[in-house]
Amino acid sequence: MSEENTNQFDLVVIGAGPGGYVCAIRAAQLGMKVAIIDKRGAPGGTCLNVGCIPSKALLHASEVLQETQHAGDMGISVGAVKVDLEKMMSFKQAGIDGNTQGVTFLLKKNKVEEIHGAARLTAPGALHIDLLDGGQRSLTAKNIVIATGSEVTPLPGIEIDEDRIVSSTGALSLPSIPKHLVIVGAGIIGLELGSVWRRLGAEVTVVEFLDRITPGVDADLAKNFQRVLKKQGIKFMLGKKVTAAKALKASAKVTLAPASGDGAEETLTADRVLIAIGRRPHTDGLGLEAIGVTRDPQGRIETDAHFKTNIDGVFAIGDVIAGPMLAHKAEEEGVAVAEHLAGKPSHVNYHVIPGVIYTAPEVAWVGRSEEQLKEDGVDYVVGKFPFTANGRAKVNGTTEGFVKILADAKTDRVLGVHILGAQAGNLIAEAAMAMEFSASSEDIARTCHAHPTLPEAVKEAALAIEGRALHM
Ligand code: FAD
Ligand code: NAI
């Protein structure tokens, strides 16, 4: 093959996260010659390397610890339960490696060329790569998909040293269990990682700017979720803004003030501080200015309905564009753009993107919250069913939480489903499927659900829409 041919592709994807690698695989399945570039040594992006996968490994391990500690309730005696943090971190790393190696295997299997290096657009259809091994390479492509993801939003004036003051990346690899972990931001990262370290024995204080946790999540659900987390020993300081955080030799000092601006400052001493106030699109060094790709005021790459930027042949997907910063949203967009480039119809249904917080119990939702329906002026009915009335939850000892279904008052179409409870992340799949098929609550209510299972609570919540839940 001539050198020109080896550097010429139908599609080059920049960023091998869940958006990018899925896009590359789908495009290759559709017959395109594809290369994917990532500046990390391994594919999988934030999700597999420092996000979804390592956080879930630690959530799982710490949940097993907690279950073991309470095994006596089920008549299982265990000796003193000890945590070997180093081993737990190796367990986490094995999970990461298994997943990233799996992606490399899939890329190879689909004949996608995987290139390790930092890519920069030099012209529409042309890229320059600074290879991780020190070399350089230039490629041309009929189409380019930017899938460069997101990075931690910094808190102005606070230096994240990934030692005393950490981002999620540092919080996934702490060398010891902190005595006191202060978390700035009661969002998804703060509460998932707060749960991990709380279960491992840390005192955890969460400082949140707003007067509620998890903005965007249905307020009823969020209120109950906070109550459950409080019972687990997580402390909340709501309506507070962090004005400074300073790393000292063996601790860190955090200064807070009321979010309103009125009132005295206070200080907290912690041995680690996690800054988790959101993520922002990652476009550094990509050369967007050079070719004139436009971004919105939040720095996200602007695209049309087919993920095309304002420059022909340049597309963008995932965290780097608008929408929820979720791996499965990035994946859907990856498939959609690949199919569009192959001339197939493609579409992402943004009304049905589930969200999950993998705490214990879990929080999961799909569709609109009560607040959003009110804001949109939609007349809706509520069907709610508590896990205390679900047989399986009772025997499992996981009775916290409920299923709430919101349906259109006139048409009965399901508009939103919100779940707090064990395995909510699995339960929400049924709701997403129902909504994708424009189901009514009656459709869910009339579907036979196996007994005894947690999904029966979903059916009962649907029955509750017309006040005919059977076990309540
Ligand atoms: P990314 O996964 O961020 O991948 C982008 C890749 O592009 C990176 O590997 C980066 O190195 C590369 N890159 C950037 N610039 C260049 C360049 N110039 N040249 C070459 N390569 C470049 N989402 C969920 O749905 N479920 C979860 O449970 C979940 N847990 C999370 C936990 C944590 C702690 C964090 C931080 C995030 C979590 N997320 C979760 C969010 C999820 O990780 C992101 O939404 C997802 O990774 C976005 O995918 P992406 O493909 O858009 O980008
Ligand atoms: P987030 O947006 O979920 O939450 C950030 C929180 O910080 C909000 O409650 C916000 O009000 C608060 N905040 C903002 N500025 C503040 C300040 N100065 N002081 C105190 N509080 C402040 O962001 P987070 O937790 O960093 O996560 C980023 C994104 O990563 C998520 O939105 C999600 O898209 C993704 N993610 C998804 C996961 C999942 O699907 N299970 C897990 C982890 C991350």
Side-chain angles (χ1 to χ4, degrees), residues 393-423:
K394 267 188 177 152
V395 293
N396 286 357
T398 56
T399 50
E400 269 164 335
F402 55 85
V403 178
K404 179 163 89 171
I405 298 186
L406 308 174
D408 189 289
K410 278 189 216 83
T411 65
D412 191 35
R413 183 175 175 165
V414 177
L415 302 173
V417 178
H418 306 269
I419 307 176
L420 171 68
Q423 299 201 35

Side-chain angles (χ1 to χ4, degrees), residues 155 184-185 187-189 192 208-210 215 276-278 325-326 356 358:
L155 193 50
V184 186
I188 310 187
I189 290 181
E192 285 190 359
E208 165 62 45
F209 184 81
L210 301 173
I277 60 161
M325 288 182 165
L326 296 172
V356 181
Y358 297 87

Side-chain angles (χ1 to χ4, degrees), residues 428-452:
I428 207 68
E430 171 185 3
M433 175 76 91
M435 287 184 66
E436 193 63 46
F437 282 89
S438 307
S440 61
S441 78
E442 183 72 13
D443 291 326
I444 299 178
R446 294 221 172 255
T447 302
C448 181
H449 286 65
H451 176 77

Side-chain angles (χ1 to χ4, degrees), residues 30-42:
L30 290 164
M32 288 177 235
K33 182 184 170 197
V34 186
I36 188 161
I37 310 160
D38 202 295
K39 60 185 179 186
R40 277 178 218 274

Side-chain angles (χ1 to χ4, degrees), residues 158-167 169-171 174 245-253 271-275:
I158 295 176
E159 192 203 334
I160 295 179
D161 59 12
E162 296 297 8
D163 176 26
R164 292 284 148 208
I165 304 181
V166 298
S167 70
T169 302
L174 294 182
K246 207 170 158 31
L248 307 168
K249 221 177 180 173
S251 64
K253 209 167 101 182
D271 26 1
R272 311 272 175 192
V273 179
L274 163 60
I275 306 293

Side-chain angles (χ1 to χ4, degrees), residues 176 194 309 350 391 455:
S176 57
T309 67
Y350 290 99

Side-chain angles (χ1 to χ4, degrees), residues 23 144-146 293 301-311 313-318 320-322 329-341 346-350:
C23 172
I144 293 172
V145 170
I146 301 170
V293 173
I301 295 176
E302 286 181 324
T303 59
D304 67 13
H306 294 298
F307 309 102
K308 191 179 93 57
T309 67
N310 60 314
I311 305 295
V314 180
F315 296 77
I317 55 166
V320 81
I321 69 168
K329 174 261 192 187
E331 290 186 38
E332 292 298 319
E333 292 176 343
V335 169
V337 75
E339 293 184 346
H340 172 70
L341 290 174
S346 65
H347 171 68
V348 175
N349 182 0
Y350 290 99

Side-chain angles (χ1 to χ4, degrees), residues 48 53-54 57 89-101:
L48 269 55
I53 292 299
M89 291 297 167
S90 305
F91 165 77
K92 177 199 75 176
Q93 193 57 45
I96 295 172
D97 295 343
N99 275 284
T100 56
Q101 286 158 12

